Amino acid sequence: MGGVTSTWVEPSNTATALLLLGRGSDPATERGVECPGDLPAPSDPGLVARAAAAKAALGTKVFVLGHHYQRDEVIQFADVTGDSFKLAREAAARPDAEYIVFCGVHFMAESADILTSDRQRVILPDLAAGCSMADMAVLSQVETAWDVLTELGIAEQTVPVTYMNSSADIKGFVGRHGGVVCTSSNAKRALDWAYQQGSKVLFLPDQHLGRNTAVQELGFSLDDCVLYDPHKPNGGLTPEQLRDAKMILWRGHCSVHGRFTLDSVNDVRERVPGVNVLVHPECRHEVVTAADFVGSTEYIIKTIEAAPAGSAWAVGTELNLVRRLALAHPDKQIMFLDRAVCYCSTMNRIDLPHLVWALEELVAGRVVNQITVDPDTARHARAALDQMLALPGA
């Protein structure tokens, strides 16, 4: 099986505590994680100065990417901020940068490695910064699902489409089977292309983005979509359901966006008269249909920037971004959609101590936490990514 290099160690009595500190490994995940080395103390008052000094010492050899959901303490050192695909493309556009330090999560660093040159090395400051959604689609499970479709005689008419928020293994699978990668902003274009190639789509790994795009933008009915559960025989579906479906949705979701409910929307409308509800398409279908505006992370940012002074906005996406938008636009009332705050716990693994450690190790000539996708997987994943870039209007 293709994939990403990682180190496995036996768990100990302190494994959970160490994992919470960003060290150790979790053998229960598809991918073991290990973060060796001594991290600076989180309370070190000199962390900001140390990060600035290390980055300055590396100069143009290092390029730091910061996802929108990162902590403010980390985002201040990013050369570029953006969503996952924008950042991967930015990395590829910097061929002179020897080191790409990706402040995001694992699948994002994999995409950067796929799109950058062999001489560039992609570094993830904490290997425990994964993505629960991406880990909900494991290659062996997807291959089993494809076998089910093959046995039913419908694999040939099915086009696999995977969200950018998926592992390199899954992107490679999609590339091998003539499919395409999509983002939350171009999912409709990707699906339009897919339905020109076949009559069905297997959409991985986020059921909500797939369902919302199919119903809200392509005009499908909810009955055209079925939910494939990899933990049940035949996905928990009958042969007739699979044969009749236009959209076969993988049972995956975002742990942050999936927490928003219709009650959240109704509650904020009662509390804040005239509020605009703005949500990400990874939210549940009933939340998306009840919202006023729906779009990608970049869309959310641009919508808030263009909003008139005095307007009120309840935003259904990761809290770090919502807080940053509120601070940047004090003339507008910007709030988190849910009463209970929710950070992306894995995205928040990248903190200032990990960033300082990674940068200082590079200054010392030691490359840590390098993300490497094997050549065969990278080749097929690149084909699926290139197909996305070739979409009309891309």
Side-chain angles (χ1 to χ4, degrees), residues 306-323:
S311 57
W313 296 84
V315 185
T317 192
E318 206 274 343
L319 184 58
N320 273 317
L321 175 60
V322 178
R323 290 181 58 187

Side-chain angles (χ1 to χ4, degrees), residues 331-350:
D331 60 329
K332 302 159 193 176
Q333 186 181 2
I334 300 170
M335 67 207 75
F336 194 58
L337 176 58
D338 196 20
R339 283 181 181 269
V341 299
C342 184
Y343 293 99
C344 176
S345 59
T346 50
M347 191 78 73
N348 269 264
R349 299 299 300 244
I350 309 296

Side-chain angles (χ1 to χ4, degrees), residues 132-193:
S132 58
M133 179 202 294
D135 287 342
M136 289 176 190
V138 179
L139 180 59
S140 59
Q141 296 173 333
V142 176
E143 289 176 333
T144 297
W146 196 256
D147 288 342
V148 170
L149 301 183
T150 300
E151 290 170 7
L152 290 175
I154 57 176
E156 289 186 358
Q157 55 190 286
T158 303
V159 179
V161 176
T162 189
Y163 189 21
M164 190 73 182
N165 300 27
S166 57
S167 70
D169 282 340
I170 299 303
K171 292 184 180 75
F173 171 89
V174 169
R176 280 193 295 274
H177 292 277
V180 64
V181 176
C182 76
T183 68
S184 55
S185 58
N186 70 12
K188 180 182 183 299
R189 292 200 300 273
L191 289 176
D192 282 338
W193 174 86

